[in-house]
Amino acid sequence: MPRIFGQHFLRSKPVLEKIAAAVAPDGIEPHIVEIGPGQGALTEYLLPRAERITAIEVDPAMVAALPAHEKLTVLHQDVLTADLRALAPFTLAGNLPYYISSPIMAKVFEAVGAWNRAVFLVQLEVAQRMCSAPNSRDYGYLSVLTQVHCRAKLLFQVPPGAFAPPPKVKSSVILLEPKPVDARALKPFLRFVSAAFQQKRKTLRNNLGVLFPKTLVEAQPEANLRAEQLSIEGLSDLYQRLSQTAPNVILTD
């Protein structure tokens, strides 16, 4: 079957079983939403653990390949345009396409409050960035974006040989548990964080000068630091000080 979206299909039965167990650790989930089910390998392991499954698949060839099952509803659409909140409540699962995993994660975070747990198979590098701490090579905007919305944990790695065809990168299964957040209040803070990490090797003095007067940024004790040196709490504290002193239209809707 042709792979028009460059999919790498997970074939390892032990890995599929471990992922399904992580998705439904307590037995039966009322509703699982699977992103990118492909040919249904993971779906097969999820069906005994779910009262119902909604599978979101963009590839028409994969939609046709999915098995007919009374528990399974297939939505032929792009997850990036899907209304995930309309499916609430649910548990999330999926072997995410590596080339668009970050946009998918942003979409998932927009729907925090609609889901109670997410278990995804992603590129190891992406999983490490999502879980990383300050002062590490992997810490960046995706780390902050993930951790303000969720508690993130690397569960286990998956070798290339578990896929057909094998990818050229390592993979990992990641668990996300959502936090209660005010999505509207987070938007300006995340714009601030995006600017702070815009050029990772530059200091906050340089990166934040596009949002605030440089003299104001230079007056902050963190001015000579890089964003990767600040915790989420540290970034939030700096954001509060700067935005209260000099509100900027860039940070508002």
Side-chain angles (χ1 to χ4, degrees):
M1 184 174 292
R3 300 179 305 120
I4 64 173
F5 291 95
Q7 302 97 323
H8 295 274
F9 300 111
L10 183 61
R11 299 300 191 202
S12 169
K13 293 182 178 180
V15 173
L16 288 164
E17 178 60 37
K18 286 179 70 175
I19 294 174
V23 174
D26 299 321
I28 304 296
E29 289 293 320
H31 184 201
I32 295 175
V33 172
E34 184 182 2
I35 297 174
Q39 297 173 337
L42 179 58
T43 314
E44 179 182 341
Y45 284 81
L46 293 175
L47 281 168
R49 298 174 179 271
E51 293 180 8
R52 64 187 180 104
I53 295 176
T54 300
I56 304 175
E57 176 58 62
V58 68
D59 187 340
M62 298 301 122
V63 170
L66 287 169
H69 196 286
E70 60 182 5
K71 291 184 180 181
L72 179 63
T73 299
V74 180
L75 301 181
H76 180 199
Q77 63 183 118
D78 185 344
V79 67
L80 296 180
T81 61
D83 183 2
L84 294 180
R85 289 192 176 276
L87 302 174
F90 55 87
T91 299
L92 274 164
N95 174 11
L96 302 187
Y98 290 178
Y99 70 100
I100 56 166
S101 57
S102 291
I104 291 176
M105 293 313 310
K107 178 77 175 184
V108 166
F109 296 145
E110 288 177 4
V112 163
W115 50 276
N116 56 42
R117 183 189 308 105
V119 177
F120 292 129
L121 178 57
V122 297
Q123 185 177 340
L124 175 60
E125 180 182 344
V126 172
Q128 290 172 330
R129 286 164 53 202
M130 293 172 71
C131 296
S132 63
N135 292 302
S136 67
R137 182 190 65 180
D138 297 318
Y139 184 68
Y141 176 74
L142 183 60
S143 314
V144 177
L145 176 67
T146 300
Q147 294 169 38
V148 296
H149 287 99
C150 309
R151 290 174 291 276
K153 180 181 180 181
L154 290 175
L155 294 182
F156 55 91
Q157 292 189 31
V158 179
F163 299 85
K168 296 180 180 180
V169 297
K170 296 180 180 179
S171 307
S172 179
V173 174
I174 188 170
L175 168 66
L176 303 174
E177 296 175 310
K179 298 176 181 177
V181 296
D182 182 341
R184 184 173 181 180
L186 273 179
K187 283 186 177 180
F189 172 63
L190 289 172
R191 293 191 191 111
F192 166 85
V193 173
S194 179
F197 281 101
Q198 189 64 38
Q199 298 185 63
K200 283 198 68 176
R201 304 314 300 170
K202 289 195 173 183
T203 64
L204 291 165
R205 170 191 282 110
N206 291 303
N207 284 344
L208 295 179
V210 299
L211 298 182
F212 303 98
K214 285 196 173 182
T215 53
L216 177 59
V217 178
E218 289 172 352
Q220 307 305 313
E222 302 93 342
N224 290 323
L225 299 178
R226 296 189 299 272
E228 66 189 42
Q229 295 174 273
L230 296 185
S231 65
I232 294 176
E233 293 75 14
L235 287 165
S236 179
D237 181 59
L238 178 59
Y239 163 72
Q240 293 295 335
R241 274 184 273 129
L242 290 173
S243 60
Q244 288 173 9
T245 304
N248 192 292
V249 292
I250 297 178
L251 294 177
T252 60
D253 290 323

